[in-house]
């Protein structure tokens, strides 16, 4: 079941000391049936001009959590969406994975969704698909690109960079 709702917090002690929680999304990230957490993080110093990160926490029973993956540049800064403001459009948790959705722009409106799936054999999340759209509001010209599992290079989540437009190029 997908979840885009920001839900109950996880203990701050579960996060790296240099990060603070901005949004918490709960769901089954690794497909084992337990309630895990995807935490959008920001630098603990409060620097809003820097990219935000994502920490994937897997629930280990009782009240214990383990950092399963971390990427400190997975979410663009809160002012990086141009005239549209914060580019974080949402997070969907699906069994065994998640989707990061961003949008922004001004004259050219853009949106992109990155879908990651859990690879249980290697205990990691890999990029599974990218959908990118651009609309020129002045001319009405629309472009889109889809990259599926065969073309995502099985990019590990820890190496993912949303600024890499080569992941789903639009001509």
């Amino acid at each position: 079941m997908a979840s885009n709702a920001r839900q109950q917090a996880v203990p701050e002690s579960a996060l790296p000391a240099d990060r603070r929680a901005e949004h918490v999304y709960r769901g089954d990230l690794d497909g084992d049936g337990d309630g895990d957490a995807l935490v959008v993080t920001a630098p603990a110093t409060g620097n809003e001009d820097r990219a935000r990160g994502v920490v994937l926490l897997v629930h280990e029973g009782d009240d214990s959590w383990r950092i399963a993956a971390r990427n400190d540049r997975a979410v663009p800064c809160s002012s990086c969406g141009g005239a549209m403001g914060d580019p974080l459009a949402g997070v969907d948790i699906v069994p065994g994975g998640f989707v990061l959705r961003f949008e922004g722009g001004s004259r050219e409106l853009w949106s992109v969704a990155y879908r990651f799936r859990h690879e249980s054999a290697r205990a990691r999340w890999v990029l599974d698909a990218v959908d990118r759209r651009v609309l020129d509001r002045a001319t009405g010209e629309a472009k889109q690109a889809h990259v599926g599992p065969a073309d995502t290079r099985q990019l590990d989540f820890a190496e993912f960079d949303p600024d890499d437009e080569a992941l789903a190029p639009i001509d």
Side-chain angles (χ1 to χ4, degrees):
M1 171 178 250
S3 171
N4 194 30
R6 295 180 181 126
Q7 298 182 7
Q8 107 191 61
V10 295
E12 286 290 326
S13 61
L15 296 175
D18 63 335
R19 309 300 289 181
R20 63 178 169 79
E22 203 171 80
H23 306 293
V24 177
Y25 300 87
R26 300 290 294 271
D28 184 10
L29 290 168
D30 57 5
D32 67 359
D34 290 340
D36 304 313
L38 182 153
V39 183
V40 175
T41 65
T45 59
N47 187 343
E48 302 301 321
D49 293 332
R50 292 186 47 204
R52 294 171 287 177
V54 168
V55 174
L56 303 179
L57 297 171
V58 293
H59 193 249
E60 303 230 306
D62 298 331
D63 287 331
S64 64
W65 299 87
R66 176 178 56 83
I67 296 175
R70 176 181 176 175
N71 182 321
D72 290 344
R73 65 185 175 283
V75 178
C77 75
S78 60
S79 61
C80 291
M84 302 301 289
D86 189 347
L88 180 59
V91 172
D92 297 312
I93 305 290
V94 296
F98 59 96
V99 178
L100 299 175
R101 294 182 292 108
F102 309 122
E103 58 187 36
S106 184
R107 175 184 162 173
E108 282 193 344
L109 300 178
W110 55 268
S111 66
V112 62
Y114 299 98
R115 185 177 70 217
F116 294 87
R117 68 175 166 75
H118 186 252
E119 254 186 10
S120 56
R122 296 180 66 190
R124 68 181 191 146
W125 286 262
V126 295
L127 185 62
D128 194 48
V130 181
D131 289 294
R132 184 182 306 275
R133 293 182 169 84
V134 176
L135 170 67
D136 186 317
R137 295 187 328 164
T139 67
E141 182 182 5
K143 298 177 185 178
Q144 62 183 26
H146 171 79
V147 174
D151 299 314
T152 60
R153 306 185 314 254
Q154 297 297 298
L155 183 66
D156 188 290
F157 174 67
E159 303 300 317
F160 165 71
D161 184 347
D163 289 335
D164 183 359
E165 292 185 6
L167 293 173
I170 293 183
D171 296 328

